[in-house]
Each structure stands twice: as structure tokens, then as C-alpha cells.
Amino acid sequence: MSHVRLITLNRPRQLNVISSRVVSLLAQYLEKWEKDDNAELILIKGAGRAFSAGGDLRMFYDGRTSRDSCLEVVYRMYWLCYHIHTYKKTQVALVQGISMGGGASLMVPLKFSVVTEKAVFATPEASIGFHTDCGFSYMLSRLPGHLGEYLALTGARLSGKELVAAGLATHFVPSEKLPELEKRLVSLNNGAETAVKSTIEEFSSDVQIDEESVLKKQKMIDDCFSKDSVEEIIKSLEAEATKEGNGWIVPVLKGLKRSSPTGLKITLRSIREGRKQSLPECLKKEFRLTMNILRTAISGDVYEGIRALTIDKDNSPKWDPSTFDRVGDERVNVVFQPFEEDLELKIPEREDCRWEGKYENSVYAVPK
């Protein structure tokens, strides 16, 4: 009997976006396999030119007029994120192409994440009035210096080699070798970490990042993105952009100034809080933020951002509020307020209950 289980994200035309159905299936299979002694190694890959482009933005947009239409999938996704991070069996992500936002949450936390030169990572949610979600306020806040703030606020893209260098992936394998690596892992037919690691290392290459890589600009990123507010970060970048050799900052600034002021301010605070929070605390916070943003508690920017990016594709969002000075701390505080205890995301606290807290057993699933 095979001890390997393979998950293929298989909606290539939609760049393998994460729908309600995908979340339910992932949770169902991962629970079943963790409890099955015969399942030892879990491989996950994407079909076509993407690993996963993240959450299904159209699903959120289509639900904008009815309250909490996406609550179930949001709850299930954050609950699933906890189990991916803490999974008991060996997991390997084989990543070609786009791996963004929620899609990257199926890659970064795994014991082994293998990327190729075709891999592209980003967390671009803040720019469309959302926030860095699916556990990334935990993961990005633990990167060196203030690289996490930089990635979260700018939505900057990292290549496969940069992902390994930054610690967001474990191995770099040239794309032509990936099918053979997959075959070898399947034929290995066990989940022993040392065996899996040495097999991947047979195919992997050492990583050298280009001098032009943003990872070579850590000092400047730390200087600018350590500032207390988004406004101060922008001011600091503007000062640096005038200096010779800092042309790379110009598009970064342009992107920040085009982004949702509300999304940027929520995201900066979430990353900063994430440094001091545990994984369960980060996921509970992100669940609150997501629900409050989708409920337009302080702004409707998320729907305007999705409209401009994916519906009308005019790339001309009209943000409300449109300036940073109108997004004060009191306003941002609203989306961070804890829910009543029974309305919070239920993260299992004991190992023997680790698959409890499901949506169907929550207060949300009980008919009102």
C-alpha cells in the first residue's frame, strides 16, 4: 500500500484560487490522513502555471451585498491554517509559478517547500484594501529585520531563489528536475524526514541571489520600514529615493501611494502585533480583521480594490478615505476589537482535541 498522498490544486484557468470547496476538501483530507497510520508523506502541487493565486476574490466581491456571505469559508480557512502549521505528518509543497496570499499559506509553513525559478511569491492584499492574512502576520513578522513590513505593505514579489534566501521556502530545484523529484518522493513511499530531505537535496541547487535583489537592501529596508507609521515609512522612502543608486525605491513609493490607506494602516499594525503574538493569536486576530473588513466596518475599500483589479480591471480604485490623515488610530482600532468569546475563531488548545473547533460546531453554524 502506498504511504504517499498527493494533493493537486486543479483549477489552472483560475490560477488554482482557493474556493470554499477547496478549503473544505483540504481540511477533510488532511484530517483523515493525519489519523491514518498508512499515510506518511503528503505532497501538494498546483496544476498549470500557478501553485495558487490565493483566495477567490470574485467570491468575496459577489457576496458584498449580503452580510457574512463568506463567513463560513473564512472561518474554515483560518482554522485550516492552524492545522497546516502544526501538521503531524511530513508535508512537501512542489511550487511552480504564482504562490500568493492564501495560496502561499499552503507552501511556507510546510516542513519542506520546494520552489523553482518559475515561482513568484507575494502578499499583495494591503494594496486592495485588505490585510496580510492566512497566518502571514505571524510568518512575515518573523523574517529578519523589517523585511516582513516591506513585503506586507508593498506586495513586492520574490523569486524562487529569494524565497529560499529569505527563509520562506526550504529548497530550490530547477523546474526541469521537478517531475523527477516528484516521482522519487512517491517511490520513496515513506515520510521519514531524513529520507525526504536527502531526496530533495539530491535535486536541489545552492542559492545565490543577484546583487540587484531587494534582499541585498536589508539595511535600507530596516531603516525605512521600522518607522512607527505608514506616513513616516513613505517620508523615509522619499528621502532615500533622492540618493544616487536608489532608483528601485521609485516604483515601491508609487505602489504605496496608489494603495488603500486603510489597507496599509491595518496591515502595518497587524504585522507589528504579530511579532508578539503566537500563531493561534495571529489567526484569531486575522479572522476578526477579515470579517470586519468584509463587513465594511470602517471602509468599503476591499470591494473597490477587487472591482478595480479583477472586475472592471480599470486599475483606478477610488479609496474612501482617500488620504492617510483620515485613517486615524481610533478608526483602525475598530477592526482590531476582540469579538465576544463564542464568536472568536476556535483554535484547539489541547493536542487530544486538535481537530475540534470546526465551523459546523461553532455558534455561526447554529441557525438563528
Side-chain angles (χ1 to χ4, degrees), residues 271-304:
I271 296 288
R272 294 269 160 91
E273 286 190 1
R275 277 204 177 86
K276 301 175 188 134
Q277 292 172 324
S278 64
L279 174 66
E281 286 169 337
C282 281
L283 291 169
K284 287 180 178 187
K285 171 197 63 186
E286 291 173 9
F287 173 68
R288 280 180 226 127
L289 291 178
T290 297
M291 292 319 304
N292 282 326
I293 290 170
L294 294 177
R295 289 167 178 166
T296 64
I298 61 171
S299 168
D301 276 5
V302 67
Y303 299 118
E304 175 61 6

Side-chain angles (χ1 to χ4, degrees), residues 220-271:
M220 195 178 301
I221 285 172
D222 289 349
D223 288 347
C224 296
F225 285 85
S226 60
K227 301 292 186 274
D228 289 342
S229 67
V230 178
E231 296 95 316
E232 289 172 276
I233 289 170
I234 288 174
K235 205 169 170 182
S236 181
L237 286 166
E238 284 172 338
E240 291 294 343
T242 61
K243 299 175 185 173
E244 196 176 333
N246 284 350
W248 67 277
I249 294 177
V250 176
V252 171
L253 268 171
K254 202 171 171 185
L256 284 170
K257 290 175 177 178
R258 216 171 38 218
S259 298
S260 157
T262 302
L264 291 177
K265 287 211 169 184
I266 292 171
T267 295
L268 180 61
R269 177 161 162 188
S270 181
I271 296 288

Side-chain angles (χ1 to χ4, degrees), residues 23-63:
V23 174
S24 293
L25 285 172
L26 282 170
Q28 182 186 316
Y29 282 119
L30 288 176
E31 178 178 4
K32 177 181 161 189
W33 294 336
E34 189 178 279
K35 293 173 176 176
D36 178 0
D37 290 340
N38 286 309
E40 294 181 23
L41 175 63
I42 317 299
L43 304 179
I44 178 165
K45 65 176 185 174
R49 63 192 179 91
F51 178 70
S52 171
D56 187 342
L57 295 182
R58 187 171 277 276
M59 169 184 71
F60 290 119
Y61 190 77
D62 290 346

